[in-house]
Amino acid sequence: MLISFAVKGKAGLRFSSGEIALPAIYDATWRISPQLYGFRSGERYGILSNTGRQVQACALSSLYVGFREVTPATVLNWVSEHGIGNLPPLQWVLGRLCHADLLRAEEVTPQLWKSGQLRHVLSSGDIVHITPAQRCDTMPGGLYAAEATALRETVLVLTESTQLLSMTLQACVESAITVELPETLRGTPAPLSPAQEERWAFCRQLRALLTSKGIAPITYRPAPELVGDYLPYEVLRLPEDTVRRCRDHVEARLDAGTSQEEAKTWQLIFLAWLAANDYILYCAETGAFIVSELFVFDGSPFGNRTASELLDEYELWSLAPWLRDESRFL
């Protein structure tokens, strides 16, 4: 049995007798199985036997594409530190709420070994196969093209209990449903299925945690001025740096001290957001651009000028690259 040790922040492996099996020059060392140990340097890792023999040189890619399971407490920590507008994209994968991440070899290879073998696809397409007999065989990628493709398209889900779930990339795409937590925190519709109920239960649990800490989504977004009953709520979901960029653009084109300046600023940002996401439609009959009937734009502070006129006057089309929501097209 080998024991990990560290010297000046670097890791190595030694025997219980104290003899060095692997010098402390690596970023991480870990146990893969009773007979095999991993060692990583940067983005490459290798495998050592329990006798100190190098089974595989430090040449395998240490990064695996996968997902980490998150819990309400995990999200709460993110929100407390960065604000709810900076949450990473969350997805439901195989009934678990996860966020996409690159998993290191030390996190996944012990679980991958549970089948009694370890396969890894090299950039050349060849397959490295580590056997229980501590042999390292390299299979030509051309002869095992189907197996190499299956391995390359495997997606891993690492749960909170470090259980590892493995599936094909296609299965992941079919099972993953993006969850926009800031929106769901404002209100949860009636559940449509047991799976939907599980998702809303998570959001209710998260809401309770946030409320108990005095945190709410609105805390991390500027509050626009109400104009009658109109509130451009969609722009509340924008990241703070995007809002700042848009405000600078709009305020530079508004006369200082103009009436309803704050309301105009937010409505123009809202109008730019609509244009960026294809909610401004061209009307062939009038030759003008109009707002989609899905949204209500109040132009009264601008003397009821048309959306088309405002888009041109305030050069709002130029904000489209910053406001376009690409997730709508995934």
Side-chain angles (χ1 to χ4, degrees):
M1 179 176 179
L2 297 179
I3 302 170
S4 293
F5 71 101
V7 177
K8 296 182 179 180
K10 291 294 185 178
L13 291 166
R14 62 176 175 82
F15 295 100
S16 55
S17 63
E19 182 184 355
I20 303 298
L22 192 74
I25 59 174
Y26 296 95
D27 296 320
T29 57
W30 67 98
R31 186 183 184 188
I32 295 177
S33 74
Q35 291 79 34
L36 298 175
Y37 294 79
F39 55 98
R40 177 174 65 81
S41 177
E43 297 187 358
R44 299 289 171 182
Y45 83 99
I47 297 175
L48 199 73
S49 76
N50 59 350
T51 64
R53 179 177 61 87
Q54 182 174 281
V55 177
Q56 167 63 45
C58 193
L60 302 177
S61 173
S62 67
L63 295 177
Y64 289 78
V65 176
F67 293 86
R68 293 184 189 274
E69 184 181 14
V70 301
T71 64
T74 309
V75 178
L76 177 62
N77 290 336
W78 283 331
V79 171
S80 300
E81 184 174 353
H82 305 293
I84 200 164
N86 295 305
L87 281 172
L90 301 179
Q91 292 180 304
W92 287 91
V93 183
L94 298 183
R96 300 175 186 274
L97 188 65
C98 304
H99 72 96
D101 198 6
L102 290 175
L103 307 177
R104 289 287 187 183
E106 54 263 37
E107 297 172 300
V108 301
T109 49
Q111 288 81 21
L112 288 176
W113 181 262
K114 287 181 178 178
S115 62
Q117 58 187 1
L118 188 62
R119 283 188 170 93
H120 195 114
V121 179
L122 299 177
S123 57
S124 62
D126 295 343
I127 304 172
V128 173
H129 183 202
I130 312 294
T131 70
Q134 301 180 24
R135 284 185 54 190
C136 178
D137 298 324
T138 301
M139 307 174 180
L143 297 179
Y144 299 90
E147 184 178 357
T149 299
L151 282 175
R152 186 177 287 109
E153 293 186 350
T154 296
V155 174
L156 307 172
V157 179
L158 189 65
T159 70
E160 287 287 312
S161 61
T162 70
Q163 177 187 1
L164 190 72
L165 305 178
S166 180
M167 59 184 158
T168 65
L169 180 62
Q170 184 59 39
C172 173
V173 171
E174 292 174 352
S175 65
I177 303 175
T178 300
V179 176
E180 298 177 350
L181 276 178
E183 181 65 18
T184 58
L185 283 170
R186 293 196 181 92
T188 54
L192 303 178
S193 67
Q196 194 95 12
E197 171 56 35
E198 181 182 353
R199 293 165 192 165
W200 293 131
F202 176 93
C203 293
R204 287 193 294 269
Q205 187 179 359
L206 177 59
R207 182 202 293 269
L209 279 169
L210 293 174
T211 303
S212 66
K213 297 289 184 180
I215 301 172
I218 197 67
T219 303
Y220 297 94
R221 285 169 173 68
E225 181 181 332
L226 279 169
V227 181
D229 295 328
Y230 170 69
L231 177 67
Y233 65 93
E234 285 291 341
V235 299
L236 294 178
R237 299 171 54 191
L238 297 176
E240 290 182 9
D241 59 337
T242 301
V243 171
R244 192 178 305 111
R245 184 186 296 272
C246 292
R247 287 186 71 100
D248 290 344
H249 174 94
V250 170
E251 290 171 356
R253 290 160 177 77
L254 278 173
D255 295 332
T258 185
S259 62
Q260 295 184 304
E261 181 177 355
E262 186 68 6
K264 288 181 177 179
T265 297
W266 278 100
Q267 288 182 75
L268 288 173
I269 295 175
F270 178 53
L271 187 60
W273 180 88
L274 292 171
N277 292 284
D278 301 325
Y279 295 122
I280 300 292
L281 310 176
Y282 179 73
C283 179
E285 294 181 4
T286 62
F289 290 96
I290 59 174
V291 176
S292 166
E293 61 182 14
L294 296 173
F295 298 91
V296 177
F297 174 75
D298 183 357
S300 58
F302 302 95
N304 288 317
R305 301 183 67 191
T306 67
S308 184
E309 291 172 334
L310 294 173
L311 285 165
D312 291 337
E313 178 179 347
Y314 293 98
E315 303 176 34
L316 300 182
W317 296 107
S318 64
L319 293 176
W322 311 107
L323 295 172
R324 193 166 179 80
D325 181 9
E326 299 294 348
S327 65
R328 298 187 304 114
F329 306 99
L330 296 180

